[in-house]
Amino acid sequence: MDEQKGKGHEECQVERTIAHLRMSGIIVTPPDEQGIVTIKQKELHNGRIRTNKELYQLARHLYPDKRYKIRPVTFALDLDIVTPEWIRERMEVLNIHTKDLVQQLGITPSEISVFVNGKRPMSRAMRAMFYYYFLTFELNARAHSGVTAQDLDIVGERKMAEQRLEL
């Protein structure tokens, strides 16, 4: 009886931990019929990218029994989100001007113009550069001003983010 009670408590603890991980962008799929546990980082929270080893260790902590095979899947950037509109929105919310991008990215004003206005398609490398530039800028802004991730959510309340960034 006590053994069943202990097992139930362990299962509840695992479920709570899985729910907590889900809130931080990490999805844990319980063992399938072959005993494979998949752990995948779907989103970046606070700009942190977990390694295969870190994901493996998280899952192994939840499922210590060696009969379970752990399959970690690291974060994969969806570059389709980086569009000219996405870049313009971030520039507006973060109060970044073309001259800032010229200095900080080493791109000419005309190159920035054609990308931001959608007159020339961006390569995957160019999209990745813009993604990580804005991610770094957002993380630095938060670190130095107490701005939260929700404040910088473009879909969210843009005015709140601008007010807090001015502080």
Side-chain angles (χ1 to χ4, degrees), residues 26 39-41 48-58 72-75:
I26 297 173
I39 182 166
K40 181 176 187 174
Q41 184 173 9
R48 182 160 185 221
I49 298 175
R50 302 259 188 173
T51 64
N52 270 327
K53 183 178 180 180
E54 288 174 310
L55 292 171
Y56 177 88
Q57 289 172 337
L58 282 170
V73 180
T74 55
F75 175 76

Side-chain angles (χ1 to χ4, degrees), residues 77-129:
L77 177 58
D78 177 12
L79 290 174
D80 292 337
I81 67 167
V82 181
T83 63
E85 180 181 80
W86 184 89
I87 293 170
R88 286 191 305 272
E89 287 175 342
R90 275 162 177 68
M91 288 176 69
E92 182 182 329
V93 168
L94 297 168
N95 198 26
I96 296 172
H97 303 282
T98 300
K99 67 180 180 180
D100 300 320
L101 294 175
V102 168
Q103 284 184 306
Q104 296 166 358
L105 296 176
I107 298 175
T108 66
S110 61
E111 288 176 309
I112 290 173
S113 176
V114 295
F115 292 133
V116 170
N117 294 315
K119 294 181 179 174
R120 185 185 327 156
M122 289 181 275
S123 68
R124 291 184 55 75
M126 188 63 67
R127 287 174 185 232
M129 177 198 65

